[in-house]
PDB file of all heavy atoms in Angstrom:
ATOM      1  N   SER A   1    -156.382  76.156  68.163  1.00 91.00           N
ATOM      2  CA  SER A   1    -157.020  77.273  68.782  1.00 91.00           C
ATOM      3  C   SER A   1    -158.574  77.191  68.473  1.00 91.00           C
ATOM      4  O   SER A   1    -158.961  76.479  67.531  1.00 91.00           O
ATOM      5  CB  SER A   1    -156.494  78.586  68.150  1.00 91.00           C
ATOM      6  OG  SER A   1    -156.883  78.708  66.835  1.00 91.00           O
ATOM      7  N   VAL A   2    -159.310  77.882  69.291  1.00 91.00           N
ATOM      8  CA  VAL A   2    -160.759  77.921  69.091  1.00 91.00           C
ATOM      9  C   VAL A   2    -161.116  78.477  67.698  1.00 91.00           C
ATOM     10  O   VAL A   2    -162.119  78.004  67.079  1.00 91.00           O
ATOM     11  CB  VAL A   2    -161.445  78.717  70.196  1.00 91.00           C
ATOM     12  CG1 VAL A   2    -162.914  78.819  70.030  1.00 91.00           C
ATOM     13  CG2 VAL A   2    -161.093  78.124  71.577  1.00 91.00           C
ATOM     14  N   ASP A   3    -160.328  79.426  67.223  1.00 91.00           N
ATOM     15  CA  ASP A   3    -160.577  79.969  65.894  1.00 91.00           C
ATOM     16  C   ASP A   3    -160.466  78.915  64.792  1.00 91.00           C
ATOM     17  O   ASP A   3    -161.230  78.928  63.784  1.00 91.00           O
ATOM     18  CB  ASP A   3    -159.639  81.119  65.592  1.00 91.00           C
ATOM     19  CG  ASP A   3    -159.896  82.337  66.422  1.00 91.00           C
ATOM     20  OD1 ASP A   3    -161.013  82.489  66.944  1.00 91.00           O
ATOM     21  OD2 ASP A   3    -158.975  83.153  66.585  1.00 91.00           O
ATOM     22  N   HIS A   4    -159.519  77.999  64.931  1.00 91.00           N
ATOM     23  CA  HIS A   4    -159.313  76.982  63.915  1.00 91.00           C
ATOM     24  C   HIS A   4    -160.221  75.742  64.101  1.00 91.00           C
ATOM     25  O   HIS A   4    -160.619  75.097  63.182  1.00 91.00           O
ATOM     26  CB  HIS A   4    -157.860  76.579  63.905  1.00 91.00           C
ATOM     27  CG  HIS A   4    -156.946  77.599  63.504  1.00 91.00           C
ATOM     28  ND1 HIS A   4    -155.646  77.749  64.028  1.00 91.00           N
ATOM     29  CD2 HIS A   4    -157.038  78.591  62.577  1.00 91.00           C
ATOM     30  CE1 HIS A   4    -155.066  78.777  63.471  1.00 91.00           C
ATOM     31  NE2 HIS A   4    -155.848  79.314  62.583  1.00 91.00           N
ATOM     32  N   PHE A   5    -160.443  75.405  65.399  1.00 90.00           N
ATOM     33  CA  PHE A   5    -161.231  74.212  65.746  1.00 90.00           C
ATOM     34  C   PHE A   5    -162.270  74.593  66.794  1.00 90.00           C
ATOM     35  O   PHE A   5    -162.001  74.641  67.987  1.00 90.00           O
ATOM     36  CB  PHE A   5    -160.270  73.130  66.246  1.00 90.00           C
ATOM     37  CG  PHE A   5    -159.182  72.726  65.346  1.00 90.00           C
ATOM     38  CD1 PHE A   5    -157.922  73.316  65.472  1.00 90.00           C
ATOM     39  CD2 PHE A   5    -159.440  71.829  64.302  1.00 90.00           C
ATOM     40  CE1 PHE A   5    -156.896  72.965  64.609  1.00 90.00           C
ATOM     41  CE2 PHE A   5    -158.393  71.500  63.403  1.00 90.00           C
ATOM     42  CZ  PHE A   5    -157.148  72.070  63.573  1.00 90.00           C
ATOM     43  N   ASN A   6    -163.496  74.897  66.344  1.00 89.00           N
ATOM     44  CA  ASN A   6    -164.479  75.453  67.218  1.00 89.00           C
ATOM     45  C   ASN A   6    -164.975  74.513  68.316  1.00 89.00           C
ATOM     46  O   ASN A   6    -165.673  74.861  69.219  1.00 89.00           O
ATOM     47  CB  ASN A   6    -165.667  76.085  66.470  1.00 89.00           C
ATOM     48  CG  ASN A   6    -166.367  75.034  65.614  1.00 89.00           C
ATOM     49  OD1 ASN A   6    -166.100  73.861  65.668  1.00 89.00           O
ATOM     50  ND2 ASN A   6    -167.254  75.494  64.753  1.00 89.00           N
ATOM     51  N   GLU A   7    -164.635  73.194  68.211  1.00 90.00           N
ATOM     52  CA  GLU A   7    -165.017  72.232  69.288  1.00 90.00           C
ATOM     53  C   GLU A   7    -164.124  72.375  70.473  1.00 90.00           C
ATOM     54  O   GLU A   7    -164.406  71.825  71.530  1.00 90.00           O
ATOM     55  CB  GLU A   7    -165.005  70.805  68.721  1.00 90.00           C
ATOM     56  CG  GLU A   7    -163.673  70.282  68.278  1.00 90.00           C
ATOM     57  CD  GLU A   7    -163.359  70.609  66.786  1.00 90.00           C
ATOM     58  OE1 GLU A   7    -164.088  71.399  66.163  1.00 90.00           O
ATOM     59  OE2 GLU A   7    -162.385  70.098  66.297  1.00 90.00           O
ATOM     60  N   LEU A   8    -162.979  73.107  70.395  1.00 88.00           N
ATOM     61  CA  LEU A   8    -162.079  73.319  71.531  1.00 88.00           C
ATOM     62  C   LEU A   8    -162.669  74.367  72.437  1.00 88.00           C
ATOM     63  O   LEU A   8    -163.364  75.304  71.988  1.00 88.00           O
ATOM     64  CB  LEU A   8    -160.712  73.782  71.095  1.00 88.00           C
ATOM     65  CG  LEU A   8    -159.934  72.720  70.227  1.00 88.00           C
ATOM     66  CD1 LEU A   8    -158.581  73.450  69.783  1.00 88.00           C
ATOM     67  CD2 LEU A   8    -159.621  71.547  70.989  1.00 88.00           C
ATOM     68  N   SER A   9    -162.432  74.220  73.730  1.00 89.00           N
ATOM     69  CA  SER A   9    -162.918  75.219  74.693  1.00 89.00           C
ATOM     70  C   SER A   9    -161.850  76.265  75.061  1.00 89.00           C
ATOM     71  O   SER A   9    -162.171  77.230  75.737  1.00 89.00           O
ATOM     72  CB  SER A   9    -163.465  74.505  75.983  1.00 89.00           C
ATOM     73  OG  SER A   9    -162.433  73.727  76.506  1.00 89.00           O
ATOM     74  N   PHE A  10    -160.627  76.016  74.637  1.00 89.00           N
ATOM     75  CA  PHE A  10    -159.542  77.003  74.917  1.00 89.00           C
ATOM     76  C   PHE A  10    -158.403  76.838  73.889  1.00 89.00           C
ATOM     77  O   PHE A  10    -158.274  75.812  73.273  1.00 89.00           O
ATOM     78  CB  PHE A  10    -158.983  76.839  76.344  1.00 89.00           C
ATOM     79  CG  PHE A  10    -158.407  75.485  76.594  1.00 89.00           C
ATOM     80  CD1 PHE A  10    -157.030  75.223  76.381  1.00 89.00           C
ATOM     81  CD2 PHE A  10    -159.197  74.483  77.083  1.00 89.00           C
ATOM     82  CE1 PHE A  10    -156.499  73.984  76.598  1.00 89.00           C
ATOM     83  CE2 PHE A  10    -158.666  73.186  77.341  1.00 89.00           C
ATOM     84  CZ  PHE A  10    -157.291  73.013  77.123  1.00 89.00           C
ATOM     85  N   ASP A  11    -157.617  77.874  73.678  1.00 89.00           N
ATOM     86  CA  ASP A  11    -156.493  77.811  72.785  1.00 89.00           C
ATOM     87  C   ASP A  11    -155.349  77.035  73.433  1.00 89.00           C
ATOM     88  O   ASP A  11    -155.141  77.132  74.629  1.00 89.00           O
ATOM     89  CB  ASP A  11    -155.981  79.208  72.447  1.00 89.00           C
ATOM     90  CG  ASP A  11    -157.008  80.010  71.592  1.00 89.00           C
ATOM     91  OD1 ASP A  11    -157.985  79.391  71.086  1.00 89.00           O
ATOM     92  OD2 ASP A  11    -156.867  81.253  71.453  1.00 89.00           O
ATOM     93  N   SER A  12    -154.618  76.324  72.623  1.00 86.00           N
ATOM     94  CA  SER A  12    -153.437  75.646  73.114  1.00 86.00           C
ATOM     95  C   SER A  12    -152.332  75.823  72.123  1.00 86.00           C
ATOM     96  O   SER A  12    -152.153  75.072  71.169  1.00 86.00           O
ATOM     97  CB  SER A  12    -153.753  74.115  73.328  1.00 86.00           C
ATOM     98  OG  SER A  12    -152.697  73.453  73.869  1.00 86.00           O
ATOM     99  N   GLU A  13    -151.549  76.852  72.291  1.00 81.00           N
ATOM    100  CA  GLU A  13    -150.533  77.283  71.311  1.00 81.00           C
ATOM    101  C   GLU A  13    -149.395  76.271  71.107  1.00 81.00           C
ATOM    102  O   GLU A  13    -148.705  76.310  70.104  1.00 81.00           O
ATOM    103  CB  GLU A  13    -149.947  78.622  71.757  1.00 81.00           C
ATOM    104  CG  GLU A  13    -150.938  79.721  71.953  1.00 81.00           C
ATOM    105  CD  GLU A  13    -150.916  80.791  70.874  1.00 81.00           C
ATOM    106  OE1 GLU A  13    -149.853  80.880  70.213  1.00 81.00           O
ATOM    107  OE2 GLU A  13    -151.900  81.479  70.691  1.00 81.00           O
ATOM    108  N   ASP A  14    -149.253  75.307  72.078  1.00 84.00           N
ATOM    109  CA  ASP A  14    -148.188  74.288  71.882  1.00 84.00           C
ATOM    110  C   ASP A  14    -148.715  73.012  71.260  1.00 84.00           C
ATOM    111  O   ASP A  14    -148.009  72.002  71.216  1.00 84.00           O
ATOM    112  CB  ASP A  14    -147.487  74.010  73.200  1.00 84.00           C
ATOM    113  CG  ASP A  14    -148.480  73.525  74.301  1.00 84.00           C
ATOM    114  OD1 ASP A  14    -149.649  73.774  74.155  1.00 84.00           O
ATOM    115  OD2 ASP A  14    -147.974  72.982  75.254  1.00 84.00           O
ATOM    116  N   ARG A  15    -149.964  73.019  70.776  1.00 85.00           N
ATOM    117  CA  ARG A  15    -150.526  71.828  70.167  1.00 85.00           C
ATOM    118  C   ARG A  15    -151.038  72.169  68.766  1.00 85.00           C
ATOM    119  O   ARG A  15    -151.311  73.317  68.449  1.00 85.00           O
ATOM    120  CB  ARG A  15    -151.707  71.276  70.966  1.00 85.00           C
ATOM    121  CG  ARG A  15    -151.242  70.701  72.277  1.00 85.00           C
ATOM    122  CD  ARG A  15    -152.408  70.077  73.003  1.00 85.00           C
ATOM    123  NE  ARG A  15    -152.011  69.467  74.234  1.00 85.00           N
ATOM    124  CZ  ARG A  15    -151.908  68.154  74.437  1.00 85.00           C
ATOM    125  NH1 ARG A  15    -152.153  67.360  73.441  1.00 85.00           N
ATOM    126  NH2 ARG A  15    -151.439  67.654  75.562  1.00 85.00           N
ATOM    127  N   TYR A  16    -151.105  71.173  67.936  1.00 87.00           N
ATOM    128  CA  TYR A  16    -151.582  71.326  66.579  1.00 87.00           C
ATOM    129  C   TYR A  16    -152.713  70.344  66.292  1.00 87.00           C
ATOM    130  O   TYR A  16    -152.801  69.337  66.891  1.00 87.00           O
ATOM    131  CB  TYR A  16    -150.417  71.103  65.600  1.00 87.00           C
ATOM    132  CG  TYR A  16    -149.443  72.190  65.582  1.00 87.00           C
ATOM    133  CD1 TYR A  16    -148.430  72.272  66.519  1.00 87.00           C
ATOM    134  CD2 TYR A  16    -149.515  73.205  64.626  1.00 87.00           C
ATOM    135  CE1 TYR A  16    -147.497  73.294  66.591  1.00 87.00           C
ATOM    136  CE2 TYR A  16    -148.556  74.240  64.677  1.00 87.00           C
ATOM    137  CZ  TYR A  16    -147.594  74.277  65.632  1.00 87.00           C
ATOM    138  OH  TYR A  16    -146.724  75.278  65.648  1.00 87.00           O
ATOM    139  N   GLY A  17    -153.514  70.710  65.285  1.00 90.00           N
ATOM    140  CA  GLY A  17    -154.535  69.867  64.756  1.00 90.00           C
ATOM    141  C   GLY A  17    -154.448  69.871  63.227  1.00 90.00           C
ATOM    142  O   GLY A  17    -153.682  70.654  62.678  1.00 90.00           O
ATOM    143  N   PHE A  18    -155.216  69.040  62.602  1.00 92.00           N
ATOM    144  CA  PHE A  18    -155.095  69.007  61.135  1.00 92.00           C
ATOM    145  C   PHE A  18    -156.502  68.928  60.481  1.00 92.00           C
ATOM    146  O   PHE A  18    -157.484  68.502  61.156  1.00 92.00           O
ATOM    147  CB  PHE A  18    -154.211  67.864  60.660  1.00 92.00           C
ATOM    148  CG  PHE A  18    -154.850  66.473  60.892  1.00 92.00           C
ATOM    149  CD1 PHE A  18    -155.646  65.883  59.913  1.00 92.00           C
ATOM    150  CD2 PHE A  18    -154.633  65.819  62.057  1.00 92.00           C
ATOM    151  CE1 PHE A  18    -156.200  64.628  60.124  1.00 92.00           C
ATOM    152  CE2 PHE A  18    -155.179  64.547  62.309  1.00 92.00           C
ATOM    153  CZ  PHE A  18    -155.935  63.978  61.309  1.00 92.00           C
ATOM    154  N   TYR A  19    -156.562  69.362  59.315  1.00 94.00           N
ATOM    155  CA  TYR A  19    -157.705  69.142  58.412  1.00 94.00           C
ATOM    156  C   TYR A  19    -157.227  68.107  57.338  1.00 94.00           C
ATOM    157  O   TYR A  19    -156.084  68.205  56.926  1.00 94.00           O
ATOM    158  CB  TYR A  19    -158.200  70.384  57.742  1.00 94.00           C
ATOM    159  CG  TYR A  19    -158.945  71.345  58.710  1.00 94.00           C
ATOM    160  CD1 TYR A  19    -158.373  72.514  59.158  1.00 94.00           C
ATOM    161  CD2 TYR A  19    -160.206  70.991  59.153  1.00 94.00           C
ATOM    162  CE1 TYR A  19    -159.057  73.347  60.006  1.00 94.00           C
ATOM    163  CE2 TYR A  19    -160.870  71.838  60.037  1.00 94.00           C
ATOM    164  CZ  TYR A  19    -160.297  73.008  60.408  1.00 94.00           C
ATOM    165  OH  TYR A  19    -160.953  73.863  61.320  1.00 94.00           O
ATOM    166  N   GLY A  20    -158.112  67.247  56.968  1.00 94.00           N
ATOM    167  CA  GLY A  20    -157.730  66.294  55.912  1.00 94.00           C
ATOM    168  C   GLY A  20    -158.845  65.340  55.726  1.00 94.00           C
ATOM    169  O   GLY A  20    -159.957  65.578  56.208  1.00 94.00           O
ATOM    170  N   ASP A  21    -158.567  64.283  55.016  1.00 96.00           N
ATOM    171  CA  ASP A  21    -159.571  63.243  54.670  1.00 96.00           C
ATOM    172  C   ASP A  21    -159.034  61.889  55.062  1.00 96.00           C
ATOM    173  O   ASP A  21    -157.855  61.710  55.323  1.00 96.00           O
ATOM    174  CB  ASP A  21    -159.855  63.295  53.172  1.00 96.00           C
ATOM    175  CG  ASP A  21    -160.485  64.627  52.737  1.00 96.00           C
ATOM    176  OD1 ASP A  21    -161.536  65.022  53.335  1.00 96.00           O
ATOM    177  OD2 ASP A  21    -159.899  65.308  51.829  1.00 96.00           O
ATOM    178  N   ALA A  22    -159.972  60.925  55.069  1.00 96.00           N
ATOM    179  CA  ALA A  22    -159.543  59.550  55.220  1.00 96.00           C
ATOM    180  C   ALA A  22    -158.605  59.185  54.054  1.00 96.00           C
ATOM    181  O   ALA A  22    -158.746  59.669  52.939  1.00 96.00           O
ATOM    182  CB  ALA A  22    -160.751  58.607  55.212  1.00 96.00           C
ATOM    183  N   ALA A  23    -157.611  58.368  54.406  1.00 97.00           N
ATOM    184  CA  ALA A  23    -156.654  57.967  53.350  1.00 97.00           C
ATOM    185  C   ALA A  23    -157.300  57.114  52.301  1.00 97.00           C
ATOM    186  O   ALA A  23    -158.453  56.561  52.498  1.00 97.00           O
ATOM    187  CB  ALA A  23    -155.451  57.207  54.037  1.00 97.00           C
ATOM    188  N   ASP A  24    -156.616  56.923  51.204  1.00 97.00           N
ATOM    189  CA  ASP A  24    -157.147  55.993  50.132  1.00 97.00           C
ATOM    190  C   ASP A  24    -157.363  54.613  50.669  1.00 97.00           C
ATOM    191  O   ASP A  24    -156.711  54.165  51.628  1.00 97.00           O
ATOM    192  CB  ASP A  24    -156.158  55.958  48.961  1.00 97.00           C
ATOM    193  CG  ASP A  24    -156.065  57.244  48.236  1.00 97.00           C
ATOM    194  OD1 ASP A  24    -156.982  58.040  48.260  1.00 97.00           O
ATOM    195  OD2 ASP A  24    -155.002  57.474  47.547  1.00 97.00           O
ATOM    196  N   VAL A  25    -158.260  53.902  50.085  1.00 97.00           N
ATOM    197  CA  VAL A  25    -158.670  52.519  50.501  1.00 97.00           C
ATOM    198  C   VAL A  25    -157.450  51.626  50.646  1.00 97.00           C
ATOM    199  O   VAL A  25    -157.303  50.846  51.598  1.00 97.00           O
ATOM    200  CB  VAL A  25    -159.711  51.916  49.551  1.00 97.00           C
ATOM    201  CG1 VAL A  25    -159.971  50.492  49.876  1.00 97.00           C
ATOM    202  CG2 VAL A  25    -160.970  52.770  49.592  1.00 97.00           C
ATOM    203  N   GLN A  26    -156.548  51.745  49.665  1.00 97.00           N
ATOM    204  CA  GLN A  26    -155.356  50.823  49.697  1.00 97.00           C
ATOM    205  C   GLN A  26    -154.530  51.067  50.952  1.00 97.00           C
ATOM    206  O   GLN A  26    -154.030  50.070  51.564  1.00 97.00           O
ATOM    207  CB  GLN A  26    -154.445  51.032  48.459  1.00 97.00           C
ATOM    208  CG  GLN A  26    -155.124  50.766  47.130  1.00 97.00           C
ATOM    209  CD  GLN A  26    -155.829  51.963  46.538  1.00 97.00           C
ATOM    210  OE1 GLN A  26    -156.223  52.933  47.254  1.00 97.00           O
ATOM    211  NE2 GLN A  26    -155.920  52.054  45.252  1.00 97.00           N
ATOM    212  N   ILE A  27    -154.341  52.299  51.339  1.00 96.00           N
ATOM    213  CA  ILE A  27    -153.589  52.617  52.593  1.00 96.00           C
ATOM    214  C   ILE A  27    -154.360  52.183  53.820  1.00 96.00           C
ATOM    215  O   ILE A  27    -153.811  51.584  54.748  1.00 96.00           O
ATOM    216  CB  ILE A  27    -153.303  54.153  52.658  1.00 96.00           C
ATOM    217  CG1 ILE A  27    -152.492  54.574  51.447  1.00 96.00           C
ATOM    218  CG2 ILE A  27    -152.629  54.554  53.959  1.00 96.00           C
ATOM    219  CD1 ILE A  27    -151.093  53.975  51.407  1.00 96.00           C
ATOM    220  N   ARG A  28    -155.637  52.463  53.833  1.00 97.00           N
ATOM    221  CA  ARG A  28    -156.488  52.092  54.988  1.00 97.00           C
ATOM    222  C   ARG A  28    -156.478  50.553  55.199  1.00 97.00           C
ATOM    223  O   ARG A  28    -156.393  50.090  56.301  1.00 97.00           O
ATOM    224  CB  ARG A  28    -157.936  52.542  54.754  1.00 97.00           C
ATOM    225  CG  ARG A  28    -158.018  54.091  54.810  1.00 97.00           C
ATOM    226  CD  ARG A  28    -159.444  54.588  54.639  1.00 97.00           C
ATOM    227  NE  ARG A  28    -160.192  54.274  55.854  1.00 97.00           N
ATOM    228  CZ  ARG A  28    -161.222  53.414  55.865  1.00 97.00           C
ATOM    229  NH1 ARG A  28    -161.593  52.756  54.814  1.00 97.00           N
ATOM    230  NH2 ARG A  28    -161.845  53.222  57.003  1.00 97.00           N
ATOM    231  N   GLU A  29    -156.505  49.778  54.111  1.00 97.00           N
ATOM    232  CA  GLU A  29    -156.424  48.309  54.230  1.00 97.00           C
ATOM    233  C   GLU A  29    -155.183  47.811  54.901  1.00 97.00           C
ATOM    234  O   GLU A  29    -155.136  46.790  55.514  1.00 97.00           O
ATOM    235  CB  GLU A  29    -156.682  47.667  52.857  1.00 97.00           C
ATOM    236  CG  GLU A  29    -158.080  47.768  52.372  1.00 97.00           C
ATOM    237  CD  GLU A  29    -158.276  47.230  50.981  1.00 97.00           C
ATOM    238  OE1 GLU A  29    -157.282  47.001  50.246  1.00 97.00           O
ATOM    239  OE2 GLU A  29    -159.464  47.052  50.581  1.00 97.00           O
ATOM    240  N   LEU A  30    -154.112  48.566  54.736  1.00 96.00           N
ATOM    241  CA  LEU A  30    -152.823  48.160  55.305  1.00 96.00           C
ATOM    242  C   LEU A  30    -152.823  48.318  56.827  1.00 96.00           C
ATOM    243  O   LEU A  30    -152.082  47.653  57.522  1.00 96.00           O
ATOM    244  CB  LEU A  30    -151.673  49.037  54.722  1.00 96.00           C
ATOM    245  CG  LEU A  30    -151.307  48.790  53.306  1.00 96.00           C
ATOM    246  CD1 LEU A  30    -150.272  49.787  52.869  1.00 96.00           C
ATOM    247  CD2 LEU A  30    -150.738  47.373  53.139  1.00 96.00           C
ATOM    248  N   TYR A  31    -153.614  49.298  57.335  1.00 94.00           N
ATOM    249  CA  TYR A  31    -153.476  49.680  58.775  1.00 94.00           C
ATOM    250  C   TYR A  31    -154.730  49.458  59.601  1.00 94.00           C
ATOM    251  O   TYR A  31    -154.565  49.063  60.788  1.00 94.00           O
ATOM    252  CB  TYR A  31    -153.108  51.150  58.826  1.00 94.00           C
ATOM    253  CG  TYR A  31    -151.737  51.417  58.252  1.00 94.00           C
ATOM    254  CD1 TYR A  31    -151.614  52.031  57.030  1.00 94.00           C
ATOM    255  CD2 TYR A  31    -150.582  51.119  58.989  1.00 94.00           C
ATOM    256  CE1 TYR A  31    -150.335  52.271  56.496  1.00 94.00           C
ATOM    257  CE2 TYR A  31    -149.354  51.386  58.451  1.00 94.00           C
ATOM    258  CZ  TYR A  31    -149.207  51.989  57.205  1.00 94.00           C
ATOM    259  OH  TYR A  31    -147.993  52.199  56.689  1.00 94.00           O
ATOM    260  N   VAL A  32    -155.908  49.752  59.108  1.00 97.00           N
ATOM    261  CA  VAL A  32    -157.124  49.727  59.937  1.00 97.00           C
ATOM    262  C   VAL A  32    -157.327  48.273  60.488  1.00 97.00           C
ATOM    263  O   VAL A  32    -157.180  47.290  59.808  1.00 97.00           O
ATOM    264  CB  VAL A  32    -158.343  50.242  59.154  1.00 97.00           C
ATOM    265  CG1 VAL A  32    -159.608  50.046  59.980  1.00 97.00           C
ATOM    266  CG2 VAL A  32    -158.149  51.665  58.769  1.00 97.00           C
ATOM    267  N   ASN A  33    -157.695  48.283  61.794  1.00 97.00           N
ATOM    268  CA  ASN A  33    -157.934  47.020  62.561  1.00 97.00           C
ATOM    269  C   ASN A  33    -156.653  46.255  62.820  1.00 97.00           C
ATOM    270  O   ASN A  33    -156.740  45.075  63.193  1.00 97.00           O
ATOM    271  CB  ASN A  33    -158.975  46.162  61.871  1.00 97.00           C
ATOM    272  CG  ASN A  33    -160.308  46.783  61.876  1.00 97.00           C
ATOM    273  OD1 ASN A  33    -160.703  47.453  62.849  1.00 97.00           O
ATOM    274  ND2 ASN A  33    -161.060  46.628  60.834  1.00 97.00           N
TER     275      ASN A  33
END
Protein backbone atom coordinates (compact mmCIF):
# COMPACT_ATOMS: atom_id res chain seq x y z
CA SER A 1 0.00 0.00 0.00
CA VAL A 2 1.01 3.61 -0.43
CA ASP A 3 1.01 3.95 3.37
CA HIS A 4 3.66 1.25 3.70
CA PHE A 5 5.66 1.96 0.52
CA ASN A 6 5.41 5.60 -0.53
CA GLU A 7 7.00 4.90 -3.94
CA LEU A 8 3.80 3.10 -4.98
CA SER A 9 1.15 5.08 -6.84
CA PHE A 10 -1.77 2.89 -5.72
CA ASP A 11 -2.66 0.25 -3.12
CA SER A 12 -2.53 -3.39 -4.12
CA GLU A 13 -4.18 -5.48 -1.40
CA ASP A 14 -3.28 -8.78 -3.08
CA ARG A 15 0.47 -8.02 -3.15
CA TYR A 16 3.10 -7.78 -0.45
CA GLY A 17 6.42 -6.04 -0.02
CA PHE A 18 9.11 -6.36 2.59
CA TYR A 19 11.54 -4.37 4.65
CA GLY A 20 14.90 -5.93 5.33
CA ASP A 21 18.61 -5.78 4.66
CA ALA A 22 21.09 -7.38 2.35
CA ALA A 23 21.90 -10.91 3.49
CA ASP A 24 25.19 -11.73 5.20
CA VAL A 25 28.25 -11.88 2.96
CA GLN A 26 28.47 -15.68 3.20
CA ILE A 27 24.92 -16.06 1.85
CA ARG A 28 25.41 -13.42 -0.84
CA GLU A 29 28.55 -15.20 -2.08
CA LEU A 30 26.51 -18.37 -2.63
CA TYR A 31 23.96 -16.66 -4.89
CA VAL A 32 24.94 -13.25 -6.34
CA ASN A 33 25.97 -13.37 -10.01
